[in-house]
Amino acid sequence: DVKVTQSSRYLVKRTGEKVFLECVQDMDHENMFWYRQDPGLGLRLIYFSYDVKMKEKGDIPEGYSVSREKKERFSLILESASTNQTSMYLCASSLHGVETQYFGPGTRLLVL
Amino acid sequence: GENVEQHPSTLSVQEGDSAVIKCTYSDSASNYFPWYKQELGKRPQLIIDIRSNVGEKKDQRIAVTLNKTAKHFSLHITETQPEDSAVYFCAASSTGNQFYFGTGTSLTVIP
């Protein structure tokens, strides 16, 4: 059974702080994704990675960066958190060539 | 890029009735269309998907139809049960990597 875990379920940060969200998958998946989920907007892709040290911008990369140093771990970084980054963040992974994405439980981030 | 629209945003049905959720997409290159179910406080999970070379796919009480010409696809749930209550998301992809999601439909099944 595929397991995707995220470092925190809930996080409260202050404006201007640097925030790290981590995602780990245990199924040797090549592809990993970061989405944010907002009411009425669905899931929007921030960044994805199809291999170690590789990254591609999604639809809303502004204000975010990512890091993939190891295959199983994909980190989302908010360089200087702002209140409009308050959201639910979902990580997902998939096997290369297989479209099914497996999601993590999500991190609800509140930026004050 | 792709634009996926999903309707309705909320849907209430009586237990045992059918529910239909519709999505339209803009990019004719999209060829894979999954549906995800997200129960309250839980992660989205794939419930059914369809590829562009197929017009309809069924899995027990759930079915998905695809009209490539009109660029729309629909989720049909028959004999709804309270455990079907959740938010449902459609998505479209042409690459198998980058997905464009609809805005979600909150389905409530009234016992």
Side-chain angles (χ1 to χ4, degrees), chain A residues 26-46:
Chain A
D26 67 354
M27 285 302 291
D28 206 33
H29 285 176
E30 291 87 358
N31 303 327
M32 296 189 75
F33 309 82
W34 274 107
Y35 296 90
R36 64 176 281 176
Q37 182 177 16
D38 300 289
L41 297 178
L43 279 72
R44 292 179 293 166
L45 182 64
I46 305 171

Side-chain angles (χ1 to χ4, degrees), chain A residues 93-110:
Chain A
S93 72
S94 69
L95 201 57
H96 182 68
V98 179
E99 298 94 339
T100 304
Q101 295 195 2
Y102 296 88
F103 284 86
T107 295
R108 190 169 290 282
L109 172 67
L110 173 62

Side-chain angles (χ1 to χ4, degrees), chain B residues 52-109:
Chain B
S52 58
N53 58 349
V54 175
E56 183 173 359
K57 185 176 178 180
K58 194 172 181 181
D59 182 5
Q60 299 183 332
R61 297 186 298 108
I62 294 172
V64 57
T65 58
L66 170 66
N67 183 326
K68 283 195 305 181
T69 304
K71 296 198 189 75
H72 67 70
F73 56 112
S74 300
L75 178 71
H76 305 253
I77 306 174
T78 58
E79 300 170 18
T80 53
Q81 301 167 3
E83 53 263 38
D84 294 329
S85 294
V87 177
Y88 292 81
F89 293 97
C90 63
S93 176
S94 60
T95 63
N97 289 326
Q98 190 157 1
F99 287 72
Y100 295 88
F101 284 84
T103 51
T105 296
S106 178
L107 172 65
T108 301
V109 179

Side-chain angles (χ1 to χ4, degrees), chain B residues 16-71:
Chain B
D17 286 352
S18 295
V20 181
I21 302 169
K22 297 182 179 180
C23 289
T24 60
Y25 62 99
S26 60
D27 187 355
S28 56
S30 289
N31 56 16
Y32 175 69
F33 308 92
W35 286 88
Y36 284 82
K37 174 184 180 182
Q38 186 177 27
E39 296 177 34
L40 190 63
K42 296 190 176 181
R43 69 192 75 192
Q45 292 196 303
L46 179 73
I47 54 171
I48 195 166
D49 56 14
I50 192 167
R51 298 178 194 282
S52 58
N53 58 349
V54 175
E56 183 173 359
K57 185 176 178 180
K58 194 172 181 181
D59 182 5
Q60 299 183 332
R61 297 186 298 108
I62 294 172
V64 57
T65 58
L66 170 66
N67 183 326
K68 283 195 305 181
T69 304
K71 296 198 189 75

